[in-house]
Amino acid sequence: MDAATVYKSKIDWWIPAIVLFTVAVAFIGPIIDGEIFVVGIVVAASLAILELVMFGSVKYQICGDRLGIRNFFYRWEWFPISKISEVKKTSGILSAPALSTRRVSIKFSDRKILKSSMPLEISPRDRDAFIARLTQINPGILVK
């Protein structure tokens, strides 16, 4: 069995912007209500840590003939690479386990895998290396 290769998610500029916005809002609330400034610091720090852990935990792993996807809320979910029929570079905004609009769209030959006709969209930091690794494992993948 091959060694596992882990790909972290590419992170677009808007992810840190969300964290900064959350921190700012956490400070503004207590200031407007006249609360103690420490409350704002505690709430802002807690939310920032939670968001950083959530966003930093999105990763993709190729292990043998399986593609694994993990984020903070979900355990590893595994998909068979042998069932991938098509891979395409996209820049979509569909809801997906991806932190960037520069994504890889993956279609499976068996609709039962995703229980949907929609493709799986993920955003590995190095899309070219990721696609090359998938096609190395399954040469039958159509790359668009």
Side-chain angles (χ1 to χ4, degrees), residues 66-81:
R66 301 181 309 155
L67 167 62
I69 299 174
R70 173 141 179 34
N71 69 23
F72 183 70
F73 293 113
Y74 301 107
R75 60 184 178 6
W76 284 102
E77 188 165 345
W78 295 97
F79 302 97
I81 296 173

Side-chain angles (χ1 to χ4, degrees), residues 5-71:
T5 307
V6 175
Y7 298 87
K8 291 194 173 230
S9 181
K10 178 172 175 44
I11 298 176
D12 278 350
W13 65 269
W14 51 271
I15 296 296
I18 289 173
V19 175
L20 291 174
F21 178 75
T22 303
V23 169
V25 169
F27 275 116
I28 291 170
I31 290 171
I32 290 172
D33 283 345
E35 296 286 328
I36 302 172
F37 191 67
V38 175
V39 172
I41 293 172
V42 170
V43 171
S46 300
L47 289 173
I49 290 169
L50 176 65
E51 288 175 344
L52 291 173
V53 169
M54 278 186 343
F55 295 144
S57 69
V58 177
K59 58 183 87 168
Y60 318 106
Q61 180 175 334
I62 296 176
C63 185
D65 181 38
R66 301 181 309 155
L67 167 62
I69 299 174
R70 173 141 179 34
N71 69 23

Side-chain angles (χ1 to χ4, degrees), residues 112-127:
K112 294 178 186 174
I113 293 171
L114 286 180
K115 300 172 184 73
S116 167
S117 61
M118 297 295 292
L120 173 66
E121 290 199 359
I122 58 177
S123 62
R125 195 175 288 161
D126 187 355
R127 293 192 300 179

